[in-house]
Structure formats: structure tokens, C-alpha cells
Amino acid sequence: MSSVPKRQKLDAAADGNTSAGANEEESEALELIDACQNEIDALNEKASEEILKVEQKYNKLRKPCYEKRSELVKRIPNFWVTSFINHPQVSGILDEEEEECLHALNKLEVEEFEDIKSGYRINFHFDENPYFENKVLTKEFHLNSAAASENGDWPASTSTPIQWKEGKNLLKQLLTKPYGNKKKRNSDYKTFFDWFSDNADPVNDEIAELIKDDLWPNPLQYYLVPDIEVEPEDDDENEDNEEEAFDDEDGEDEGDEDLEDEDDK
């Protein structure tokens, strides 16, 4: 089966370096297609600008709802740590002792910058706890800034320095803590505070994106995960299966007894 031959780029066609068999009509059509594509690109760019304005508008409208939700969440013990533990990806970076520490997390907050494309920050608010002095830990992302780009420090992220209490530095403890059958964790494995302190690759920070785009907009779906997954029907089915198996065993025993009686006769 023959394939359609590839065509040279439009600029090559304009210079007269067209592929074999290309004619004047085809070149003219390609130029018109290119003009159409330029119009489409201009409209897409305009659409992006208008979508950005809409997002900025609704970010302001959503803010009072988020604030109200945060106040209500404070009435539920361990709301955020439970949501973290129930999240399929975020839970993967939680060490057991870090979970204990995150029981002091009373508020999570994501703030997008005025220019949404330029970045955002994630604020973790804590009650008094035995691990560190900070009341708020912030991880901030600067992803698209003309000023930053000119200075050569774009993209970038920063994290609040954690003021660990004496003997409670989880980062130091976890570095030497056995993980599985290994004496030290491998370089790909990260815990929550590893992630928080790591600013090496802000563009591909999967955990930050999950918190911003998935966990923060609707944490309730993860807090309630155990209730949603309960399936009592399975218990009934298991009971039925057990009863059937019991009946079968009784039937087999009775059949064996009949055979023994016949042999005795």
C-alpha cells in the first residue's frame, strides 16, 4: 500500500524549492491555507486572553466560598490529613510520622496570582505542634513572568524554611530511616517534606498540581472516600456462598454415609 508523499514546508514552496510534481495551483492553495491558519492562531490567542479574564473574574467570586469552606472545615477534626491520606497520589508521599505531624494542619489554601499564568502559592496553616515552630508553610511557584525571564530566574519555586524543634527534624530522620528492605531511600522516593523543600523542577511538580487542581477545588470527595467505597452487598453474597458451601458439604457427608451402609449390607 503506497503512502502519500510528504510535502515540503510552505517557505520552501515560496522559494521555489517545492517537491517534485508540485504545481502553481497547489502552491497558491498552500499560501491560502497558511493565511487561514494565521487567522485561526490570532483568534486562539484572543480567546486565551478572554478566558484568562473570565478566570480572574471567577477566582474573585470563588474566594468568599473558599474562605467560608475553610472556616467550616476547622470544625471537623483531621479533615485535611484524612483528605491527603485518601488521595491516591498524594498519599504516596506520606510517611507514617509525617501523617502524625499533618494532624496539626488546620487549613490549606491555594492562591493564584493576579496573572494566573504567572504562578500560584500553596499555604499550609498549622496548629501548635511538637515538630516545628512555623504557623504557616508556603510553597510558591513563579512559572511565567517576563521580568523573571529577563533576570534569568524563571521558572522558579520557593519554600518557607522549616523551623524544626530540637530532635524533631523529619527530613533528617527520614533520610536514614529504613524504607522497605533498603537502608536508605532511593533518589526517586520523596516524602511530603521532601517534596515541600524541593524546588529543583517547578514546572513538572506533579504533587503541587494535584493539590492545586484536584485536592483544593473539592477535598470533600477525598475526605468521604471510605464512605463512598463501602459495598455491603458483598457481605451478603459471601454469606450466601458460605451457606451453599456448607450445604454441599452436608450433602457429600450424607452420600458417604449411604455408601458405607450399602457396603456393610
Side-chain angles (χ1 to χ4, degrees):
M1 181 176 178
S2 62
S3 60
V4 177
K6 295 181 179 179
R7 301 297 184 184
Q8 294 182 3
K9 292 184 178 179
L10 183 60
D11 55 354
D15 293 337
N17 298 323
T18 58
S19 59
N23 53 41
E24 185 176 343
E25 183 178 354
E26 181 178 345
S27 297
E28 182 180 356
L30 288 172
E31 290 177 2
L32 293 173
I33 291 172
D34 186 53
C36 287
Q37 192 61 51
N38 289 336
E39 291 180 23
I40 293 170
D41 292 343
L43 289 171
N44 287 341
E45 185 175 349
K46 186 177 180 180
S48 297
E49 293 173 358
E50 293 185 9
I51 290 170
L52 179 59
K53 291 178 181 178
V54 171
E55 281 296 323
Q56 290 171 332
K57 172 186 175 181
Y58 279 92
N59 272 349
K60 292 178 181 178
L61 292 175
R62 282 190 287 259
K63 190 172 182 179
C65 296
Y66 284 135
E67 291 174 350
K68 180 179 180 180
R69 186 184 72 183
S70 292
E71 291 303 313
L72 293 170
V73 161
K74 289 181 180 180
R75 294 160 54 180
I76 303 175
N78 303 320
F79 179 89
W80 285 112
V81 68
T82 302
S83 300
F84 279 30
I85 292 170
N86 288 340
H87 193 284
Q89 285 81 34
V90 176
S91 62
I93 65 167
L94 293 181
D95 181 84
E96 185 175 347
E97 193 163 1
E98 287 182 320
E99 289 183 19
E100 187 65 29
C101 176
L102 290 175
H103 278 75
L105 179 63
N106 62 56
K107 181 180 179 181
L108 173 68
E109 184 179 38
V110 175
E111 296 180 290
E112 291 189 284
F113 298 160
E114 182 66 24
D115 178 3
I116 297 172
K117 294 185 294 184
S118 66
Y120 59 96
R121 66 177 61 90
I122 305 175
N123 299 317
F124 302 90
H125 298 253
F126 288 86
D127 293 326
E128 179 68 28
N129 65 82
Y131 294 92
F132 47 76
E133 302 288 350
N134 309 71
K135 297 298 182 184
V136 182
L137 296 177
T138 299
K139 192 171 178 72
E140 190 166 299
F141 295 82
H142 297 269
L143 303 177
N144 186 7
S145 170
S149 181
E150 291 175 2
N151 296 329
D153 56 359
W154 166 85
S157 65
T158 59
S159 304
T160 303
I162 303 176
Q163 300 170 4
W164 298 103
K165 294 182 179 179
E166 187 175 355
K168 291 294 185 178
N169 189 329
L170 295 180
L171 278 173
K172 287 184 178 180
Q173 292 177 16
L174 294 172
L175 283 172
T176 56
K177 182 177 180 179
Y179 181 66
N181 295 323
K182 301 178 181 179
K183 293 183 178 180
K184 290 188 178 181
R185 298 169 297 158
N186 61 51
S187 59
D188 294 328
Y189 176 72
K190 290 186 177 182
T191 67
F192 178 83
F193 288 108
D194 275 325
W195 161 77
F196 180 82
S197 304
D198 182 12
N199 294 294
D201 190 6
V203 174
N204 298 309
D205 194 322
E206 181 184 359
I207 297 299
E209 291 176 0
L210 285 169
I211 292 174
K212 179 175 75 76
D213 298 328
D214 187 25
L215 188 59
W216 165 248
N218 186 6
L220 192 62
Q221 64 178 321
Y222 295 108
Y223 179 80
L224 296 175
V225 160
D227 294 333
I228 295 173
E229 290 183 345
V230 171
E231 297 180 356
E233 298 82 9
D234 291 342
D235 295 336
D236 295 337
E237 290 178 2
N238 289 335
E239 290 177 3
D240 292 340
N241 291 335
E242 289 176 1
E243 289 177 0
E244 290 177 2
F246 183 74
D247 292 340
D248 291 342
E249 290 176 0
D250 288 346
E252 290 175 0
D253 292 341
E254 291 174 359
D256 292 340
E257 290 177 0
D258 292 342
L259 289 173
E260 289 176 359
D261 292 341
E262 288 180 2
D263 291 339
D264 292 337
K265 290 177 182 178

